[in-house]
Amino acid sequence: KAGVTQTPRYLIKTRGQQVTLSCSPISGHRSVSWYQQTPGQGLQFLFEYFSETQRNKGNFPGRFSGRQFSNSRSEMNVSTLELGDSALYLCASSLGQGGNSPLHFGNGTRLTVT
Amino acid sequence: AQTVTQSQPEMSVQEAETVTLSCTYDTSESDYYLFWYKQPPSRQMILVIRQEAYKQQNATENRFSVNFQKAAKSFSLKISDSQLGDAAMYFCAYRGDQGAQKLVFGQGTRLTINP
């Protein structure tokens, strides 16, 4: 069974632009969540989706948004990019929403904002 | 809000030896889950071991085991017979039992294995 797939792996954007990252969960997984990883702030929760509905959101500005499609694939969008948005963005999927459902992570998308 | 603290930014161990990584957390919840994830240079977060707070028995997975002290809010990871492939960043993580996928991570411990 294929794991969580994130595309692209690397991305370079200019300040002020917008970017869309994609995540395909493990087949059968309906829950997808996103995390931002930076050297200074570590790993921080962005948001999670289940059955196309956003269930939880982290403490990030409105420039960060996401969505989930009927096939459980998810995208996250960052508008008006800032230098501080440079980070590794990780997507994780799980079979359900319960605490007993382990998260499976992808390899991440490395975003560099110049 | 829940917090997770890993007080050891870096650790090193000789191959075949045993090493223990420390983690403490703070929460007011009674039911929750604790995890150790490994992140090698490939960047993928790999689940190493999981502990349910309601279980008193410490979780074990082959060479990996935990020492879960609920009252002390401590959750350490012991790696026995360390192998070169164990070299990675290790993150301790907390997850509540409210039906959410939100993980709260510690800052990580970089583990080096010396041959």
Side-chain angles (χ1 to χ4, degrees), chain A residues 9-10 31-33 35 37 41 43 45 48 56 88 90 94 97-103 105-108 110, chain B residues 33 35 37 39 42-47 50 52 54 91 95-107:
Chain A
R9 288 214 69 188
Y10 299 92
S31 202
V32 173
S33 57
Y35 291 81
Q37 185 176 19
Q41 298 298 316
L43 282 148
F45 171 79
E48 69 169 292
N56 205 351
L88 178 66
L90 291 166
S94 71
Q97 278 199 296
N100 204 28
S101 231
L103 271 68
F105 284 84
N107 286 337
R110 172 79 65 189
Chain B
Y33 297 82
F35 306 86
Y37 278 90
Q39 187 178 39
S42 67
R43 307 179 329 200
Q44 185 177 20
M45 298 286 281
I46 301 166
L47 178 64
R50 171 178 65 181
E52 292 90 342
Y54 62 85
F91 292 94
R95 182 177 175 186
D97 191 26
Q98 300 301 314
Q101 271 201 348
K102 178 181 177 180
L103 285 174
V104 177
F105 286 92
Q107 288 296 99

Side-chain angles (χ1 to χ4, degrees), chain B:
Chain B
Q2 295 82 19
T3 58
V4 177
T5 303
Q6 293 178 249
S7 58
Q8 306 153 316
E10 295 184 357
M11 291 281 286
S12 64
V13 64
Q14 290 295 125
E15 193 177 3
E17 296 293 306
T18 296
V19 64
T20 299
L21 308 184
S22 301
C23 172
T24 58
Y25 60 94
D26 189 30
T27 184
S28 57
E29 297 178 320
S30 57
D31 291 326
Y32 49 87
Y33 297 82
L34 296 165
F35 306 86
W36 278 98
Y37 278 90
K38 166 186 175 181
Q39 187 178 39
S42 67
R43 307 179 329 200
Q44 185 177 20
M45 298 286 281
I46 301 166
L47 178 64
V48 174
I49 200 165
R50 171 178 65 181
Q51 175 79 44
E52 292 90 342
Y54 62 85
K55 288 187 178 178
Q56 292 185 343
Q57 186 173 6
N58 289 325
T60 61
E61 286 287 343
N62 301 313
R63 298 181 296 107
F64 299 88
S65 61
V66 299
N67 183 4
F68 172 50
Q69 302 289 326
K70 191 173 183 179
K73 295 181 182 174
S74 170
F75 183 61
S76 61
L77 174 70
K78 185 172 82 170
I79 306 175
S80 305
D81 186 25
S82 298
Q83 300 175 0
L84 295 178
D86 295 334
M89 281 291 289
Y90 284 81
F91 292 94
C92 178
Y94 171 100
R95 182 177 175 186
D97 191 26
Q98 300 301 314
Q101 271 201 348
K102 178 181 177 180
L103 285 174
V104 177
F105 286 92
Q107 288 296 99
T109 297
R110 181 173 301 281
L111 178 64
T112 302
I113 311 295
N114 300 314

Side-chain angles (χ1 to χ4, degrees), chain A residues 20-95:
Chain A
T20 299
L21 311 182
S22 180
C23 172
S24 293
I26 292 172
S27 178
H29 285 195
R30 298 170 61 194
S31 202
V32 173
S33 57
W34 290 87
Y35 291 81
Q36 181 196 64
Q37 185 176 19
T38 60
Q41 298 298 316
L43 282 148
Q44 293 185 289
F45 171 79
L46 279 157
F47 27 64
E48 69 169 292
Y49 288 88
F50 183 80
S51 294
E52 302 178 64
T53 302
Q54 186 179 90
R55 297 300 176 119
N56 205 351
K57 191 176 192 302
N59 189 25
F60 279 82
R63 300 185 297 107
F64 291 80
S65 63
R67 59 178 176 170
Q68 186 180 33
F69 301 95
S70 58
N71 62 358
S72 294
R73 190 177 70 85
S74 177
E75 288 181 347
M76 67 162 281
N77 184 277
V78 188
S79 62
T80 320
L81 283 166
E82 300 177 359
L83 296 179
D85 297 333
S86 294
L88 178 66
Y89 290 88
L90 291 166
C91 171
S93 74
S94 71
L95 196 58

